């Protein structure tokens, strides 16, 4: 049975890292927020109640247990509309305790990266995220294969080392 994201993060004891490498994600639950963003709506960092959501509660709880939660995003520049949108609200993830870095794709050319986005939990469990060509989720796959975990750990750390902290990254 494939764990939910909640179960995945609840099971973490040391670390949970997430590598995202797509320029567009077409997730149904985001469509209304993306349209509001297109229409000019921006979340006010001071009005936490307006943007706090269950995912952020999960991050707070996970980080509160001492788990290091990090996300790295490899992005093409100039960035896509989706990445501009995503960057504009990513402060919410940081406010919840997630650490976030951005790496322009041109600076990742010599890195060995897996073919899919993933979560790596405690350096041993990989949850691959699969998408179709338009960025719609098509499913997940879980493995505890040591070689896959090693590849993901190495790839994530390479991206993390070169990445720009969220506070300093300005989408081009």
């Amino acid at each position: 049975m494939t764990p939910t994201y909640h179960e995945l993060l609840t099971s973490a004891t040391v670390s949970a890292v997430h590598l995202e490498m797509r320029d567009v994600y077409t997730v149904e639950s985001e469509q209304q927020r993306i349209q509001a963003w297109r229409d000019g709506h921006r979340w006010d960092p001071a009005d936490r109640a307006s943007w706090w959501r269950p995912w952020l509660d999960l991050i707070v709880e996970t980080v509160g247990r001492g788990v290091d939660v990090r996300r790295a995003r490899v992005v093409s520049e100039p960035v896509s509309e989706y990445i501009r949108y995503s960057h504009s609200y990513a402060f919410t993830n940081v406010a919840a305790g997630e650490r976030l870095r951005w790496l322009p794709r041109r600076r990742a050319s010599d890195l060995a990266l897996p073919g899919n986005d993933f979560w790596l939990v405690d350096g041993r469990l990989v949850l691959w995220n699969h998408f179709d060509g338009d960025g719609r989720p098509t499913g997940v796959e879980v493995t505890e294969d040591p070689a896959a975990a090693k590849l993901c750990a190495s790839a994530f750390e390479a991206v993390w080392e070169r990445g720009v902290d969220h506070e300093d990254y300005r989408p081009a």
Side-chain angles (χ1 to χ4, degrees), residues 149-165:
K150 182 178 179 181
L151 170 65
C152 290
S154 174
F156 184 86
E157 292 306 328
V159 170
W160 188 259
E161 184 175 307
R162 289 187 188 177
V164 178
D165 284 327

Side-chain angles (χ1 to χ4, degrees), residues 23 30-44 79-91 102 171-172:
D23 290 318
E30 287 186 318
Q31 297 313 301
Q32 193 171 14
R33 289 191 308 259
I34 291 171
Q35 187 57 54
W37 177 83
R38 284 181 184 133
D39 293 340
H41 177 267
R42 297 298 182 268
W43 286 330
D44 177 358
V79 299
S80 67
E81 177 189 52
Y82 180 87
I83 295 301
R84 283 194 315 278
Y85 154 76
S86 182
H87 184 272
S88 77
Y89 80 78
F91 75 89
W102 303 80

Side-chain angles (χ1 to χ4, degrees), residues 37-104:
W37 177 83
R38 284 181 184 133
D39 293 340
H41 177 267
R42 297 298 182 268
W43 286 330
D44 177 358
D47 184 12
R48 191 176 184 120
S50 71
W51 48 262
W52 199 262
R53 55 196 187 281
W55 173 258
L56 300 175
D57 287 331
L58 177 58
I59 297 300
V60 167
E61 186 274 326
T62 304
V63 170
R65 290 186 290 106
V67 176
D68 184 25
V69 179
R70 295 182 290 160
R71 180 186 308 250
R73 291 181 167 153
V74 178
V75 296
S76 299
E77 291 181 329
V79 299
S80 67
E81 177 189 52
Y82 180 87
I83 295 301
R84 283 194 315 278
Y85 154 76
S86 182
H87 184 272
S88 77
Y89 80 78
F91 75 89
T92 65
N93 296 69
V94 174
E98 193 176 313
R99 295 190 295 150
L100 172 59
R101 289 191 180 170
W102 303 80
L103 180 64

